Every structure is written in C-alpha cells, then in structure tokens.
Amino acid sequence: MLVAAVSVGCTLLVTTLTKTKSEPSAEQKAQQSFEAPDSKPEEEPEIPQAETSDRGFLIKRIGDESALLKQDGKTRVASWTLIGIEVDATCTSSYAEPPQNGHYVTLSFDVNTYEDLIQVHGYPLSLTGNQWQYYLADGTLWNGTPTSTSTYSCLADTDTLPNQIGASTQASGKIVFDLPTTDGILAFSDDGWRSGWEYPLKEHPTA
C-alpha cells in the first residue's frame, strides 16, 4: 500500500510538471488577460492632514476628536470629542447668575482616558479652567477670562464635565464660558500654549 501511494503521488507530480510546460489553453489565456490589470498592489489612500490655524493649533468642530498621544504620535492616553455647542446657553442651576461678559456659551464633550494617562501625562486630564483663551472674530486675543466666576454657578453639577478625569475613565458633560461675543474662537492648550486645539464658534448656526 505504501508503494502504491508513493507511485500515485509521483504520477500526479509528473503530470503537474508536464502540464506547466504546455501551452496555456484559450480559457487560461483569457483569464490571464482579464486578471492582468489587477495584478499590481493597490495603493493605500493618503492620510488627510489635520487642519491647523495660523497659530498652529488643530481646528476642531462638532463630531471631531482631540487627543493626547504618546511619543509615538499614534497611541492615545486621553481623547475628547466635541458633541455640541450651545450659544447663549440657558443655565440649569437654581443659583445661576447673569453672564458678566455678555454671553454664556457651552461646549459639550465625551471624554475617554486610558491606563497610561498618569504615567505619560503626569496628572489627570482637565479640560476646564485657565487652559482656555478666546479670540475675537478678527483674530484679536481677548484680554478677559473665558471662565468667569459666574460660569461655575450656571449649570447643575450633574450637567458639567468633571474638573479632573483620571486614568481609564469615561466622562461626559458641558463646559461653560462667559464671552463678549459668540462668533470668535475658543482655544484650549494643555502644555503651556506650545500647542493646542481651537473650536470655532462663528461657524455655528446660532453664533
């Protein structure tokens, strides 16, 4: 039985080798002709460049994700997505005060942090506070503070984004700003204004 199996195997091998030396059939030629254009590997699509402002900050709009990355430039340690803008926002707190600068504006975010956040970043993520600046529509940096004292009493605690977000955490909420106009640009930086993200308000339909 073993000799027969080997013999059959040899016969098949010889048949295969012999067949490859023969002229291809008309059907094979047609198939080769049809498949030839697809023989080249497809080119991978180019990765679109992120849109940046004249200040060198990344421009973000509703639905866009922002992120803090590791040194490899790919791995996220934290990310946040803008999910809404409300111009001349209505306060929900029972002890809310009128805006000091003219207009309450809220940005709503969904936030995700990852296990390496503290190790890489050094501290929890904070999207609130003095990390924000406001540019008027003509590009002039506004001298005021976008987060005035009255912003902290506008929304109920359940509506606001937590001040600090630790590693491996999901969070959602709003940040309140007190602004002189509603057609400028809110800018956020987490590294002393060497880089950051900008959120244009003038493109919002109610601005």
Side-chain angles (χ1 to χ4, degrees), residues 41-49:
E42 294 184 1
E43 295 183 0
E44 294 185 2
E46 293 184 4
I47 299 175
Q49 296 295 319

Side-chain angles (χ1 to χ4, degrees), residues 12 31 40 45 60 69 104 113 125 131 152 155 197 204 207:
L12 289 176
Q31 185 177 5
K40 295 182 179 179
K60 299 295 182 177
L69 306 176
Y104 280 136
T113 62
L125 177 68
Q131 296 97 321
Y152 297 103
L155 296 182
W197 300 265
H204 193 269

Side-chain angles (χ1 to χ4, degrees), residues 51 59-65 82 85 198-200 203:
E51 184 180 0
I59 299 175
K60 299 295 182 177
R61 299 176 176 86
I62 293 177
D64 290 343
E65 181 189 64
L82 178 65
I85 298 175
E198 294 189 359
Y199 302 88
E203 299 176 7

